Amino acid sequence: MIAKLKIVMGICASVFLLTSCPSGIKSGVKPSSVNIGSKSSATGIAYNQKGGFQVDKKFSGQLTGPNLVFIEGGRFTMGSLEEDVLGIHDNVERTVSVQSFYMDETEIANVHYLEYLYSVQKDSTQDFYESALPDTTVWKNDLAFNDPYVEQYLRFPGFRMYPVVGISWKQVNDYCVWRTAAVNQQLAGADKVKEKKPKKGATTAGTAATAATTRTNTTARLTIESGRVLPSYRLPTEAEWEYAAKAMIGTQQEDENQINQRIYPWDGPSLRQSQGKARGTMLANFKRGRGDYAGIAGKSNDGAIITTEVYKYPPNDFGLYQMAGNVNEWVQDLYRPLSFQDFNDLNPVRRNEKLDKASRYDSKNNNSLIDNKVRVYKGGSWSDVAYWLAPGTRRYLDEDSATATIGFRCAMISAGTNK
């Protein structure tokens, strides 16, 4: 009888422990992604037992990758606030919401791209290395003496913190693949180990990325569940880019009230500093008018005839530099003039021809330039007038093409809780 009573009491005690503190966390504290506890709150089974389900309890939140700035998501009015001078009406205002994400605080500079080329040259084939090279001939012009830029702009140290140009949308996506692998390798502390040679005949960015990822067994063993592997670097969507450029967080008042909209990434209609010691100086690098790229010697308004260093001007309210001017920037989206009409109001992106077929535009008969290879770019450049500096304006170019006025910056998902 006593033995049976002890068994019953033992069972009751076990049930009490499972129900009173199922996750192994101190009483009154609920499990969260960064404080998961020692036991499953669904089964009461302990994590990390030998041969059991493994959970990394050291996870304290997503690591912030190099050069990234956290962009808290929210609702905003996407679209152009400027007069549609071209009469295209391809970015009519609409309300959308964007999930929190990370974005490069600067445009990717020449030195960053040269780092990529160095790695690719070691880890991939000669064919792919040559395909990754920027087109430096974008500086050539039959009626202008830009010849020195063809040889010097990409590689001369004086230009190393200038934005890389002459890169296509496809090349940018290859760079993102490599950067993801390179950063995760660095975070794993495996960057000084003997490298493996790539497979013969490989010709894609995946070759360099795979080599970077598999240089050590340590890196190869890291999984998404470990929390020590960053999500992929990628191009921002058009909605993310526009949201980050407008930086409406700087106009926020109590509750959900915003005191004004923004034509540019800063307040007001002017392109100059409106107050302080720097009052009157330009806030972006752009073309002021026909033949005027910078002002006069001694009083150079924007300090740059062509591009300039990526940290040259003050950041916007998200901490992002030069979201207007210097160089235009590639985004993920396929271009369609009706994107404002056919869209999802949460994290919108246009990546296929659904609801708006390319055949409608008849590019095969040269009646349009719109097809399934044209990608959106935004932001305005050193060679553009102020109209194109407004975040809501948009243009497009073939994904295989490159110019001296288009560069890029990367983005990344914010996986989990907001900061």
Side-chain angles (χ1 to χ4, degrees), residues 6 22 45 85 96 100 125 168 173 181 184 191 212 222 323 362 416:
K6 287 182 177 180
I45 299 173
V85 295
V96 302
S100 296
T125 64
S168 69
N173 280 274
N184 279 323
D191 58 322
L222 289 179
M323 293 297 284
D362 196 21

Side-chain angles (χ1 to χ4, degrees), residues 167-242:
I167 34 87
S168 69
W169 184 89
K170 283 188 173 180
Q171 287 175 311
V172 168
N173 280 274
D174 287 341
Y175 173 88
C176 291
V177 173
W178 168 84
R179 185 181 178 188
T180 301
V183 170
N184 279 323
Q185 177 204 347
Q186 175 67 18
L187 292 175
D191 58 322
K192 296 182 180 179
V193 186
K194 186 177 180 180
E195 302 160 12
K196 290 186 178 181
K197 292 182 179 180
K199 292 181 180 180
K200 187 177 180 181
T203 57
T204 67
T207 307
T210 301
T213 308
T214 59
R215 285 175 187 168
T216 68
N217 291 331
T218 303
T219 309
R221 280 198 304 268
L222 289 179
T223 62
I224 293 177
E225 290 85 354
S226 72
R228 298 192 296 277
V229 177
L230 283 177
S232 298
Y233 284 87
R234 57 174 173 78
L235 279 174
T237 65
E238 183 177 6
E240 287 175 332
W241 193 98
E242 194 170 319

Side-chain angles (χ1 to χ4, degrees), residues 295-366:
I296 62 174
K299 293 291 183 181
S300 181
N301 281 273
D302 64 26
I305 297 290
I306 56 166
T307 56
T308 190
E309 295 206 345
V310 294
Y311 286 106
K312 174 75 172 180
Y313 301 98
N316 71 5
D317 288 320
F318 275 132
L320 303 172
Y321 292 82
Q322 302 198 111
M323 293 297 284
N326 209 27
V327 288
N328 291 286
E329 299 176 14
W330 288 112
V331 297
Q332 272 194 47
D333 294 51
L334 188 72
Y335 177 80
R336 284 294 186 271
L338 298 180
S339 290
F340 71 90
Q341 180 175 302
D342 308 321
F343 72 100
N344 191 311
D345 59 6
L346 174 62
N347 298 326
V349 66
R350 167 76 70 177
R351 55 189 167 194
N352 55 45
E353 61 174 358
K354 192 169 183 65
L355 301 179
D356 199 357
K357 302 289 185 181
S359 57
R360 297 177 58 184
Y361 299 95
D362 196 21
S363 62
K364 290 182 179 180
N365 294 315
N366 299 317

Side-chain angles (χ1 to χ4, degrees), residues 35 60 84 204 369 410:
N35 187 17
S60 58
D84 192 346
T204 67
L369 296 175
C410 300

